[in-house]
Amino acid sequence: MKIALIGNQNSGKTSLFNLLTGNNQKVGNWPGVTLERKTGILRTSTAEVIDLPGIYSLSPYSNEENIVRRFLLEEKVDLIINIIDSTALERSLYLTTQLYSFNIPMIIALNMTDLAFEQGLRIDVERLSTMLNVPIIPISCLKRTGIKELIMLITKDTPTITNFPSLYSQPLQETIRKVAELLPIDAKEFLAIKLLEADVELSTKVDLDVNESISQLKAHYKLGVSEILANERYNFIEKIRDEAVSSREKPKLLTDKIDRILLNKYLAIPIFVLIMLLVYFLAAGPVGMFLSSLVERGFAALNDALANFLVNVGASPWAVSLVVDGILTGVTSILSFVPQLLILFFMTDILEASGYMSRIAFFFDRIFRKVGLSGKALIPFIIGTGCSVPAIMASRVIEDERERKLTVLLTPFIPCGAKLPIITLFAAYFFPDTTGLVSASLYFLAIIIILLTAFVLKRVFYKQKYSPFIQELPTYKAPNMRYVLRDTGHKTWSFITNAGSVILFASVILWFLLSFNWKLQYGVAVDKSILSDVGRLFSFIFYPFLGTNSWAAAVSIIQGLVAKEQVVSSLSIIAKLSGGDSIFNSPLFAFFTPASAYAFMAFNLFSAPCFGAIGAMYQEFGNRRTMIKALLLQTIAALLIATLIFQLGTLVEGLL
Ligand code: GDP
């Protein structure tokens, strides 16, 4: 048996899929696109469950919608489980009414019943089921209720009902029926409707002229066919809502009240700025720094102990240096930022889970539209505070191709978790009294640069057009701590494993290139090493914002391509090998001033991202040329911004 799991985005599809299939899952890709295809075996049975992408309708406008259409047309599906968000019943049922036209047996999983209850919504499930003529099981993936009943219904008593209620008024229904009869294939009703809607994709594939019917319908209803269909579906849904749903109280009352302050025309942006300041103050300011310094001290002790141990057991000097100056210095210089990242990830997850991020994204929609970006771009930008790779992939929520590509180009500008160490390291040393503020200022600088770049690119290349913000806004709610902790843990863990793999490997290579000269003699001074010569070749590029030719800074910046964490790792290792006990004690980095420090942070923030993110950009752009153009644009922008900061900063320093 083949079961298709279909529903809106964020309806809880993934959660339900996991509950239905346990660990019995296979992940692949849908043909031709980079969307994940997940299949699994239903618990206690042999039925195959396919998790289809989240969609709102069956028009051919997005990859997701196309995949679902094609799947339902081409594969023999025995049962659809239509998952519905009970707090967004109308939007969910809009999809249900479209699924009717495939005439495939259906079960509705009415999810989020816990939330509906909290919001005072009362849904008469029996009435709803009768009106839709579909079996319905109320569930909550969060509280794990109703799942057993759902599985039992699927396995024991496979529903065969396909005589769904008739949705449309008589002339429309009659026309659909007539066209459907002329079609030789399955899914007649769906195809008939799409032909009447003059669907761009299917009209060219099915050889049937329905122009006459379309004109008659238009004449009768004085509307286009798509509008007639949408109207009548919504009429049907409204009737159902009026009869099956009641509410104890006005559910959005609290949210409306909170919005009056948080999304107020004048207050929204200052409040957003304050919240982000607080986030950075806690993560990069005194609290985060204190916790990081504890970890750092622990690592320093470990470093010493290990060095003593190695010397005592008679290890050769190069081995001690490799382990202590190379590997340990490289890896621990990054791991000591874990407490700060934990705070950052935790706070942004709370903001997301409370519903605030979605609502402020809606507010930003107006501003983003002015510069040719969709408000939905804020979603990748928010995810980007963790890591650019999933953020770049999240740009798929944007329908319009150009806006999507623009978002892919701009997402790496957001300071990701790996860039935070660079920022806090320099901010703490050069701006000890205002570390949190200076760190946050880079976040705001990123937003300003994103808006400016989008504005300029729109003027130069693109015409105005935008995808509307259709995401139904979640209400404010107390964050689900299980979700927040899991997500924070997940992000932090991937940072740690990165340090244990990529950074460790890079540290060994770096140590080698810093400890040997071209004749492969060990123990040379670092500025006679192989790497120093390589750095000298490139150092001129960074002269405009460092004010000096520094091979050591040059090689550190370039290693940011491997991973942005590697910049700090590299600075630490070079400092250690040059005899300094910390980065800013090393003569090699004595040239840094507050101005060049800020410029250095900005350059690392805006220049080409790490290889992981570059790979994601390539995937999303779909071709190498666009990707290379984007990387060049980012790096040139970074160079210009950093130089401007350095020159202005030096001017100010001169005046003080
Ligand atoms: P998908 O986008 O449809 O795959 O949805 P997910 O499974 O990723 O769920 C989206 C969000 O809704 C997550 O934060 C889930 O924790 C949450 N969620 C899923 N099911 C429920 C539920 O029954 N009740 C509540 N309160 N939240 C849920």
Side-chain angles (χ1 to χ4, degrees):
M1 184 157 95
K2 201 177 253 183
I3 303 172
L5 185 56
I6 302 180
N8 293 165
Q9 285 168 20
N10 280 318
S11 56
K13 225 163 36 59
T14 312
S15 314
L16 180 60
F17 179 75
N18 291 339
L19 290 170
L20 290 179
T21 61
N23 291 327
N24 246 328
Q25 298 181 2
K26 264 201 324 228
V27 180
N29 262 354
W30 293 98
V33 285
T34 49
L35 286 171
E36 217 171 55
R37 176 194 165 122
K38 280 199 287 189
T39 58
I41 304 296
L42 181 70
R43 279 172 202 270
T44 72
S45 86
T46 53
E48 185 188 20
V49 186
I50 300 101
D51 184 16
L52 288 154
I55 50 167
Y56 295 102
S57 80
L58 291 168
S59 337
Y61 298 130
S62 69
N63 281 338
E64 285 82 353
E65 287 164 346
N66 266 320
I67 287 171
V68 177
R69 280 163 59 132
R70 225 169 288 152
F71 187 84
L72 290 175
L73 285 174
E74 290 168 11
E75 313 247 345
K76 244 202 92 30
V77 175
D78 301 291
L79 174 68
I80 291 175
I81 298 180
N82 178 206
I83 178 165
I84 280 184
D85 177 351
S86 37
T87 64
L89 204 60
E90 285 153 277
R91 187 191 61 193
S92 310
L93 288 177
Y94 190 66
L95 180 63
T96 311
T97 56
Q98 297 182 60
L99 291 173
Y100 276 177
S101 65
F102 282 96
N103 278 309
I104 297 172
M106 180 157 40
I107 292 178
I108 288 179
L110 188 66
N111 192 28
M112 311 258 182
T113 44
D114 59 305
L115 265 186
F117 180 78
E118 260 175 42
Q119 296 180 3
L121 276 177
R122 284 208 41 225
I123 300 175
D124 182 344
V125 177
E126 218 166 293
R127 183 95 195 98
L128 189 64
S129 173
T130 314
M131 293 185 82
L132 293 169
N133 206 10
V134 175
I136 299 179
I137 303 279
I139 63 168
S140 159
C141 292
L142 182 74
K143 309 266 186 224
R144 305 181 179 208
T145 54
I147 308 297
K148 242 196 249 154
E149 289 80 353
L150 179 61
I151 296 182
M152 259 163 58
L153 180 66
I154 301 169
T155 48
K156 279 216 179 120
D157 186 23
T158 308
T160 48
I161 301 173
T162 53
N163 55 336
F164 299 118
S166 119
L167 301 177
Y168 310 115
S169 56
Q170 213 258 336
L172 179 59
Q173 190 80 40
E174 193 53 28
T175 314
I176 295 173
R177 195 186 56 76
K178 267 200 301 207
V179 175
E181 270 171 10
L182 297 172
L183 292 164
I185 17 182
D186 286 343
K188 292 178 187 184
E189 193 182 330
F190 173 74
L191 287 175
I193 289 175
K194 288 296 153 189
L195 286 179
L196 290 169
E197 280 186 313
D199 183 277
V200 281
E201 201 189 79
L202 292 173
S203 298
T204 53
K205 287 198 184 142
V206 181
D207 189 22
L208 182 68
D209 187 358
V210 294
N211 284 336
E212 168 107 30
S213 304
I214 294 179
S215 316
Q216 282 170 0
L217 285 176
K218 276 187 181 160
H220 180 82
Y221 288 95
K222 315 258 178 310
L223 278 175
V225 180
S226 301
E227 285 82 31
I228 310 170
L229 284 160
N231 276 346
E232 301 211 344
R233 283 181 194 135
Y234 274 120
N235 289 342
F236 174 76
I237 292 168
E238 271 169 23
K239 210 169 77 206
I240 290 186
R241 184 203 54 198
D242 291 345
E243 287 199 28
V245 184
S246 56
S247 59
R248 269 186 279 140
E249 65 211 72
K250 200 164 162 271
K252 290 202 170 156
L253 213 57
L254 182 65
T255 288
D256 283 346
K257 266 193 198 151
I258 301 177
D259 267 352
R260 234 169 278 154
I261 302 167
L262 292 187
L263 295 196
N264 176 290
K265 209 157 78 180
Y266 304 105
L267 293 179
I269 290 184
I271 291 176
F272 175 69
V273 169
L274 277 179
I275 289 177
M276 292 315 288
L277 269 177
L278 180 72
V279 170
Y280 274 87
F281 177 75
L282 288 177
V287 182
M289 278 207 306
F290 171 72
L291 293 174
S292 282
S293 71
L294 288 186
V295 178
E296 207 175 329
R297 249 180 273 161
F299 280 133
L302 178 75
N303 231 346
D304 290 346
L306 202 67
N308 281 337
F309 171 77
L310 288 173
V311 171
N312 286 341
V313 297
S316 50
W318 70 263
V320 179
S321 172
L322 169 63
V323 173
V324 175
D325 305 334
I327 296 174
L328 269 183
T329 304
V331 172
T332 59
S333 65
I334 274 310
L335 288 185
S336 41
F337 289 97
V338 165
Q340 305 194 354
L341 284 167
L342 257 178
I343 299 176
L344 179 77
F345 294 152
F346 180 74
M347 305 268 297
T348 41
D349 276 340
I350 293 252
L351 290 177
E352 247 182 285
S354 66
Y356 175 71
M357 281 301 193
S358 303
R359 301 193 77 87
I360 191 76
F362 174 71
F363 183 87
F364 268 94
D365 192 43
R366 277 187 309 164
I367 302 172
F368 278 17
R369 251 156 41 189
K370 291 209 176 92
V371 299
L373 273 171
S374 129
K376 282 187 183 174
L378 201 68
I379 295 164
F381 295 163
I382 290 165
I383 298 178
T385 52
C387 171
S388 303
V389 176
I392 289 170
M393 293 183 172
S395 65
R396 288 176 199 165
V397 295
I398 299 164
E399 285 91 15
D400 183 78
E401 190 70 6
R402 288 190 201 143
E403 283 172 9
R404 201 169 65 78
K405 291 195 165 154
L406 190 57
T407 310
V408 171
L409 168 78
L410 297 174
T411 300
F413 282 177
I414 291 291
C416 69
K419 288 172 184 164
L420 193 75
I422 310 178
I423 294 174
T424 48
L425 175 79
F426 281 81
Y429 188 81
F430 288 99
F431 308 93
D433 300 329
T434 49
T435 309
L437 193 69
V438 168
S439 304
S441 74
L442 278 138
Y443 179 79
F444 298 124
L445 179 67
I447 294 186
I448 293 169
I449 297 294
I450 284 171
L451 293 177
L452 268 178
T453 315
F455 183 72
V456 171
L457 289 180
K458 180 185 119 180
R459 278 290 145 95
V460 182
F461 300 110
Y462 304 140
K463 284 205 306 273
Q464 178 138 20
K465 206 171 155 254
Y466 72 96
S467 4
F469 201 97
I470 51 153
Q471 184 183 22
E472 198 158 306
L473 294 178
T475 49
Y476 292 107
K477 53 178 172 260
N480 170 355
M481 274 305 163
R482 185 151 30 130
Y483 169 81
V484 168
L485 292 177
R486 201 182 47 195
D487 198 63
T488 304
H490 184 76
K491 286 181 191 156
T492 312
W493 183 241
S494 62
F495 181 83
I496 294 173
T497 47
N498 201 29
S501 52
V502 180
I503 307 297
L504 191 144
F505 182 68
S507 299
V508 173
I509 296 182
L510 188 67
W511 173 86
F512 175 81
L513 295 174
L514 284 166
S515 302
F516 289 84
N517 64 13
W518 294 98
K519 291 184 194 142
L520 290 188
Q521 290 163 317
Y522 169 72
V524 295
V526 276
D527 56 0
K528 299 276 185 306
S529 65
I530 299 177
L531 198 65
S532 70
D533 284 336
V534 177
R536 281 184 197 100
L537 283 180
F538 297 104
S539 59
F540 72 95
I541 301 175
F542 311 107
Y543 182 88
F545 67 88
L546 293 178
T548 178
N549 274 319
S550 163
W551 67 265
V555 296
S556 300
I557 293 173
I558 292 169
Q559 285 173 73
L561 286 172
V562 176
K564 290 290 162 187
E565 298 95 321
Q566 185 57 23
V567 176
V568 170
S569 242
S570 164
L571 293 171
S572 310
I573 295 176
I574 294 175
K576 196 83 189 259
L577 286 171
S578 71
D581 54 359
S582 78
I583 296 175
F584 299 109
N585 274 345
S586 161
L588 285 174
F589 300 116
F591 64 86
F592 272 116
T593 61
S596 58
Y598 200 96
F600 185 86
M601 296 189 264
F603 184 84
N604 281 294
L605 178 55
F606 297 117
S607 59
C610 67
F611 285 136
I614 293 175
M617 281 167 67
Y618 172 54
Q619 209 175 51
E620 296 306 316
F621 283 138
N623 70 73
R624 197 158 288 145
R625 261 190 57 187
T626 316
M627 177 197 74
I628 291 174
K629 270 198 270 180
L631 292 177
L632 276 177
L633 194 133
Q634 288 165 341
T635 307
I636 292 171
L639 203 56
L640 287 177
I641 296 163
T643 306
L644 194 69
I645 290 172
F646 176 67
Q647 300 299 348
L648 286 177
T650 311
L651 212 70
V652 174
E653 275 168 12
L655 293 176
L656 294 176

